[in-house]
Amino acid sequence: MISDKIGRFIVTPTGFHRQGGALVCDEVPLRDITAAEGTPLYVYSANVIAERFRAIAEAFASYPHSLHYALKANSTLAIARLLRSLGAGADANSGGEIDVALRAGFIPAQIVFTGVGKTQAELAQAIDLGVMTINAESAGEIERIDALAIDRQVRARIALRVNPDIDARSHPHISTGLKTNKFGVPIDEVPDLCRRFANARGVEIVGLHIHLGSQITDLTPLRKASEAIVALSRELRDLGVFIDHVDLGGGLGISYDGSPVPSARDYADALLPAVRDSGLELILEPGRNIIGPAGVLLSRVIDVKPQGNGRQFVILDAGMTELIRPMLYNAFHRIEHVETHDRPAADCDIVGPLCESSDTLGKNRVLEQPEVGDLMAVMDTGAYGAVMASNYNRRLMPPEVLVDRGRWTVIRRRQTIDDLLALEA
Ligand code: LLP
């Protein structure tokens, strides 16, 4: 909020928007942040994170539920702490993410532990901590949890990750709910498995878990999955296996290109009817939907090179090392000038500086003629951006900045070559 000349408060839009041609984040000009911190650089809006978390929480408010933020989307400590302060639990996918969750202040009872290949050390860590649930992926894993828990004279709470054989209709690399995907136990094997472990001394089956995939923008598969899991819970009840929750994972997509996508309310309308009938507590593990639109990657134009066909390569100081999604999933991210100029439109391929032809951030884009030194913003990079960054070509990880109520803070500093080499002999 800002006040005008006669002191009236004016509500200004939050998040990333333009003020007089300049891209700002919650009223802070992005140019100012890069002037201090350089490029490449990730910037996040605390306001957007809070608004998006609350939108999901409000959409499900009529039903007992808990939102376990999927740390894999972005687990920088300050982001994890912010989500915790908003009331989120955590979904951790590795021992490292459990450690981060604890350091961010989550207590073990707020952590669900997922992952298709949990090591003995990770399972022991989760059991010793007494996390809320371990989402178990196979009969073998349940046996291992059982043995570890018996050794420790405890009973671990587990949920069975069910593979429902439902197509998420997303990119094949981020779809997880088909028989041919490595995740979970085939749905028709679940009753036998539950019977087998019903009286196990080291495990207690307290829930069913499904995660169909990510960047899902058609809610039909998610609705079908919720119906399937609730039907399965009834089947289990008839066998004498009583669970207390269903965990429907994450996956709600966002609009990368401006086309309409389902809202948090649409999402709740798709999932809640089946779940409401079951009376079981609902757990969700949203990641991208909360943090994706809350972040941008800022980068500077290093070179502009004609392709000889009227098109040009715009070479940025960020590439696949800072955002691998375009290269890995052919993902689209809007790319914009941080400050508009009055220049003619140009046909551009926006690429990174790495030694790979697939190091491309945006193909076939029309931009106001880019010039060396221009600042560019790659939009919607809050999720699966910084967390998937690498040091390929010995590039140093960019800093991350969080804008909160008109002030910005570096929440992770830029990596130095000494940081990088500190691990080496
Ligand atoms: N729960 C489980 C068990 C998951 O595997 C995932 C994501 C989530 C929750 C969170 O899903 P979300 O709400 O963020 O869609 N790197 C890819 C996305 C991989 C997602 C992996 N699992 C990308 O950049 O699109």
Side-chain angles (χ1 to χ4, degrees), residues 36-58:
E37 294 302 322
T39 53
L41 167 73
Y42 304 98
V43 178
Y44 309 111
S45 158
N47 263 333
V48 173
I49 297 171
E51 277 169 12
R52 300 190 67 88
F53 177 81
R54 291 196 182 115
I56 303 179
E58 277 161 25

Side-chain angles (χ1 to χ4, degrees), residues 54-77:
R54 291 196 182 115
I56 303 179
E58 277 161 25
F60 286 89
S62 67
Y63 192 78
H65 74 279
S66 55
L67 302 180
H68 288 254
Y69 170 64
L71 286 168
K72 59 177 77 68
N74 186 321
S75 60
T76 307
L77 272 177

Side-chain angles (χ1 to χ4, degrees), residues 70 72 91 114 161 174 209 211 214-215 249-252 285-288 325 329 384 388:
K72 59 177 77 68
D91 160 32
T114 333
R161 175 148 180 190
I174 50 176
H209 176 231
H211 172 75
S214 198
Q215 185 51 17
L252 180 61
E285 302 166 351
R288 183 193 319 264
R325 304 195 65 258
Y329 319 113
Y384 308 110
M388 293 178 83

Side-chain angles (χ1 to χ4, degrees), residues 71 108 116 192 212 333:
L71 286 168
V116 73
D192 274 351
L212 269 198
H333 286 261

Side-chain angles (χ1 to χ4, degrees), residues 279-296:
L280 296 167
E281 187 191 342
L282 173 64
I283 291 180
L284 293 171
E285 302 166 351
R288 183 193 319 264
N289 193 270
I290 295 170
I291 188 77
V296 297

